[in-house]
Amino acid sequence: MKPVKVGICGLGTVGGGTFNVLKRNAEEIARRAGRGIEVAQIATRQPNPKCDTTGTPVTDDVFDVINNPEIDIVVELIGGYTLARELVLRAIDNGKHVVTANKALIAVHGNELFAKAREKGVIVAFEASVAGGIPVIKAIREGLAGNRINWVAGIINGTGNFILTEMREKGRAFADVLKEAQALGYAEADPTFDVEGIDAAHKLTILASIAFGIPLQFDKAYTEGIGQLTTADVNYAEALGYRIKHLGVARRTEAGIELRVHPTLIPADRLIANVNGVMNAVMVNGDAVGSTLYYGAGAGMEPTASAVVADLVDVARALTTDPHNRVPHLAFQPDSLSDHPILPIAACESAYYLRIQAKDHPGVLAQVATILSERGINIESIMQKEVEEHDGLVPVILVTHRVVEQRIDDAIAALEALDDVADKVVRIRVEQLN
Amino acid sequence: MKPVKVGICGLGTVGGGTFNVLKRNAEEIARRAGRGIEVAQIATRQPNPKCDTTGTPVTDDVFDVINNPEIDIVVELIGGYTLARELVLRAIDNGKHVVTANKALIAVHGNELFAKAREKGVIVAFEASVAGGIPVIKAIREGLAGNRINWVAGIINGTGNFILTEMREKGRAFADVLKEAQALGYAEADPTFDVEGIDAAHKLTILASIAFGIPLQFDKAYTEGIGQLTTADVNYAEALGYRIKHLGVARRTEAGIELRVHPTLIPADRLIANVNGVMNAVMVNGDAVGSTLYYGAGAGMEPTASAVVADLVDVARALTTDPHNRVPHLAFQPDSLSDHPILPIAACESAYYLRIQAKDHPGVLAQVATILSERGINIESIMQKEVEEHDGLVPVILVTHRVVEQRIDDAIAALEALDDVADKVVRIRVEQLN
């Protein structure tokens, strides 16, 4: 068969990696795909010093690629929402298939893009948009297609995981590690997307959609960052047998879908609690398969390129298939999506770690216990530390059983109103993930 | 679209699970596949008490299913080599697609079956044959299609991993745990396939083939069981910072392909070293993606059914595709398979844990060090224990750097010839897996 012609838009980290992998592994890829996959054109504003593009036409206008009649598949790697959206829509309009690593684009504009792609009988593939090189979208969408998925939970932001790993292993403060991550190039100059959980929420939105058969609903995801975490809580969690991870959790309940990104205590003996540094991992629990886990590099030049190239091979195979019998973009047939609602965070259910800074008076513990029990909140374990010298306060640390969040909100308000409780109550969600 | 009609041959554990999952998740599966997947006939000698087959035709002759013109896909779950081979060949002859969980059949007869299937334009799908519900075949064959795979390493026998986990966590002896595993139903009455590594070698043969693009060559796999492992070695390994796992390792080197199943020391902080009980995990290292890991239940009624049903959905989708543009059975196009040879174990390279039972004489350590250094074997770490009271012997435990196995064979022969060395030298391979 004739080689498939690919146009790469954006020759930055992922674009450069994609170009290099396609070139280096050309023979291996053709042995699998049954045909070559060739880069016919590249659009980039500046050359990538890591790529030798000799012999490949380069333009500085992405629309040259979109309009190039020779090109079968457009690889969108420019990032952002606005130009990327326009680019992909125009590519689809021109009857081209699209492969993208752009999680923000898919999470925010995916419903629109997929509808348009169906209309035109083309594919928009996005494996690289979640967890870099880990083929987790394929695993959920195809590998677990026999299951009713119960929940998905993932460490899907490498920057955040690097920071938490350093905080735990070296007792360093958040701000200190963040500075290092920025120096190492793991974190952006503006780290908001990473540390506030927005990047993770983009990815979680995509995972939830393909797991549960619901439309993409990024605007309904709850996000809480890791900037408020203290080494004190990291250490207390450790003493209780937990690790703190910045986790994306999507769970199907009868009332609706939970879709939330927040710091989470996980039992230290879980595999996912031991995923360290910039690595990613996603757990998927299905009714037939039970819990599964997928681990690997969640970002980086070649790991992300690995996913882009896998999509290119898939699309190359699908070029001759019946468009009505392909794997649907969001795993479920577009006319079979569910309108099961996304739950507000107050209606989500979890266990909770609470740290209460109490004055060292008799009876405080009884007051705390009463407030919780009146709201039907059961205590799983409790730990009272020595008086801390500098302020005369006693940290009371407890882990509750699972309960709906609204009750914890109420309890925290009541706790904070007590005369014997100083400061805000620290609340971190707890997931067992078994 | 019309529902796809499936015939299930064998209603044992996996067959029963497949029937139940297809029935329970019928709606969810149809929402994904775009059409129903219906069991049109079952062949079984006896009913499965866990399945309500009311309304589904049941026969006791598997060939009724093969010859049923209504059936599109035959699910082979009877196990074994002989009848299963005949069954699958006849199904293919009748133009039917086949889904199987039979690792022995694929590892031993796969080349023949796939050739025949290509001839007839049908698919033989076998995700369930390796690591149960973990979609690792799909991950390697499609999800990592852009990579040159360097190595695969897996805990792919749950029985063996259960035994090793119990030995380590509770200090129990091999024979003792094996008896319990048999009582629990994890191990067969004849445990040879599991504890001698034959079952793992079947699975590893399949993984190596799809990872490296080589024909299935089960007869060339090296296997070493876990029956000789002592709690002493488990504990020494622990003291050195390692865990012992029964690992299947397939590695591509310039000289050829390593294909070996044996007890292996793995650094205790690796994720795969922390995969416990009956769970499975497979690591795959590719040149672009780096190391990835896939974890889940490697056996059991519904986890294995999860993989069978995923294959059914894949085949249902492929029914309308161009047979020449499908994912090849062994990941690579049949005319592009490599004849890179499988290496004999003496030519494989690894690091080694050696336990030498030495007499408590001065100079023994010097003799040991000389024998190793004369053969170019470097020592990574060494640990000499106190004299053991009962026999006056001093266990000398050491871990070498990586070296070709032939040199270790020579060194062990020389060590065992020393007057000051009693007993056989214990040798366990060591892999870093990073």
Side-chain angles (χ1 to χ4, degrees), chain B residues 214-285:
Chain B
I214 55 174
L216 295 154
Q217 294 162 80
F218 169 68
D219 55 323
K220 296 192 183 132
Y222 171 80
T223 56
E224 190 177 304
I226 55 174
Q228 305 304 315
L229 280 181
T230 65
T231 46
D233 291 310
V234 171
N235 294 336
Y236 291 141
E238 193 84 2
L240 288 162
Y242 292 91
R243 301 261 166 94
I244 302 182
K245 293 292 180 186
H246 202 193
L247 210 68
V249 179
R251 178 182 275 118
R252 164 153 48 187
T253 73
E254 284 205 14
I257 307 279
E258 300 184 355
L259 192 62
R260 46 193 172 92
V261 176
H262 48 67
T264 311
L265 271 73
I266 306 169
D269 65 356
R270 297 288 182 275
L271 230 44
I272 196 169
N274 293 281
V275 169
N276 292 321
V278 296
M279 301 305 280
N280 282 17
V282 179
M283 288 186 77
V284 184
N285 179 283

Side-chain angles (χ1 to χ4, degrees), chain A residues 31-32 138 142 145 147, chain B residues 32 138 142 145 147 306 333:
Chain A
R31 284 176 60 206
R32 291 196 181 93
K138 183 174 281 284
E142 303 172 37
N147 290 264
Chain B
R32 290 196 181 94
K138 183 174 281 284
E142 304 171 38
N147 290 265
S306 169
Q333 301 293 324

Side-chain angles (χ1 to χ4, degrees), chain B residues 115-136:
Chain B
K116 181 96 173 177
R118 272 195 311 281
E119 229 179 270
K120 292 284 181 175
V122 298
I123 299 171
V124 176
F126 53 96
E127 178 66 76
S129 69
V130 179
I134 312 171
V136 66

Side-chain angles (χ1 to χ4, degrees), chain A residues 53-396:
Chain A
T53 57
T54 314
T56 307
V58 176
T59 169
D60 60 2
D61 182 358
V62 289
F63 291 97
D64 286 349
V65 173
I66 303 315
N67 296 322
N68 183 337
E70 202 196 5
I71 283 172
D72 304 300
I73 312 175
V74 171
V75 182
E76 183 281 301
L77 299 171
I78 59 172
Y81 303 84
T82 314
L83 179 59
R85 172 175 165 275
E86 193 189 338
L87 182 78
V88 172
L89 285 172
R90 298 246 314 249
I92 295 169
D93 246 338
N94 290 350
K96 298 190 191 307
H97 301 273
V98 176
V99 173
T100 179
N102 191 331
K103 62 224 86 170
L105 177 72
I106 296 297
V108 176
H109 297 297
N111 297 325
E112 175 193 18
L113 299 178
F114 299 143
K116 181 98 174 175
R118 273 195 311 282
E119 230 178 270
K120 292 283 181 176
V122 298
I123 299 171
V124 176
F126 53 95
E127 178 65 77
S129 68
V130 178
I134 312 170
V136 66
I137 288 181
K138 183 174 281 284
I140 297 175
R141 204 161 59 169
E142 303 172 37
L144 303 179
N147 290 264
R148 186 173 161 86
I149 306 291
N150 296 313
W151 52 264
V152 176
I155 295 172
I156 43 183
N157 181 278
T159 309
N161 202 43
F162 171 79
I163 293 174
L164 293 181
T165 302
E166 289 289 303
M167 286 177 72
R168 186 183 73 81
E169 289 183 352
K170 301 181 186 155
R172 298 169 64 190
F174 171 82
D176 174 34
V177 188
L178 174 59
K179 251 181 233 159
E180 189 199 338
Q182 288 170 320
L184 287 170
Y186 293 161
E188 308 284 331
D190 174 2
T192 315
F193 262 46
D194 290 324
V195 304
E196 292 302 320
I198 299 164
D199 174 75
H202 284 143
K203 297 165 180 166
L204 184 69
T205 297
I206 298 170
L207 292 175
S209 187
I210 62 172
F212 306 129
I214 55 173
L216 295 155
Q217 293 162 81
F218 169 67
D219 54 324
K220 296 193 183 132
Y222 172 82
T223 56
E224 188 178 305
I226 55 174
Q228 305 304 315
L229 279 181
T230 64
T231 47
D233 291 311
V234 170
N235 293 336
Y236 291 141
E238 193 85 3
L240 288 163
Y242 292 91
R243 301 261 166 92
I244 301 183
K245 293 292 181 185
H246 203 193
L247 209 68
V249 179
R251 179 181 274 120
R252 164 154 47 189
T253 73
E254 284 205 15
I257 307 278
E258 300 184 355
L259 191 62
R260 46 193 172 91
V261 176
H262 48 67
T264 311
L265 272 73
I266 305 169
D269 65 355
R270 297 288 181 275
L271 230 44
I272 196 169
N274 294 282
V275 170
N276 291 322
V278 296
M279 301 304 281
N280 282 17
V282 179
M283 289 186 77
V284 185
N285 180 282
D287 68 341
V289 77
S291 285
T292 59
L293 178 141
Y294 309 86
Y295 164 90
M301 189 163 185
E302 293 215 350
T304 311
S306 169
V308 170
V309 176
D311 272 350
L312 287 170
V313 174
D314 269 1
V315 174
R317 290 211 173 95
L319 292 177
T320 62
T321 58
D322 173 3
H324 300 292
N325 204 17
R326 288 179 185 143
V327 180
H329 289 107
L330 291 176
F332 291 74
Q333 301 293 324
D335 58 2
S336 299
L337 294 191
S338 148
D339 57 2
H340 211 42
I342 309 290
L343 295 172
I345 189 68
C348 292
E349 198 183 287
S350 172
Y352 294 84
Y353 162 100
L354 301 179
R355 175 160 60 85
I356 302 155
Q357 293 293 97
K359 290 178 192 157
D360 190 19
H361 294 166
V364 175
L365 216 54
Q367 287 179 297
V368 169
T370 303
I371 285 177
L372 295 176
S373 103
E374 281 172 355
R375 285 156 186 83
I377 301 167
N378 292 315
I379 296 172
E380 161 89 32
S381 59
I382 191 159
M383 180 166 81
Q384 185 167 350
K385 303 301 287 186
E386 307 280 294
V387 176
E388 289 181 9
E389 284 170 36
H390 55 294
D391 56 8
L393 295 176
V394 189
V396 176

Side-chain angles (χ1 to χ4, degrees), chain B residues 159-160 162-188 191 195 226-231:
Chain B
T159 309
F162 172 79
I163 293 173
L164 292 181
T165 303
E166 289 288 303
M167 286 176 73
R168 186 183 72 81
E169 290 183 352
K170 301 182 187 154
R172 298 169 64 188
F174 171 81
D176 174 34
V177 189
L178 175 59
K179 251 181 234 156
E180 189 199 339
Q182 288 171 319
L184 287 169
Y186 293 160
E188 307 285 330
V195 303
I226 55 174
Q228 305 304 315
L229 280 181
T230 65
T231 46

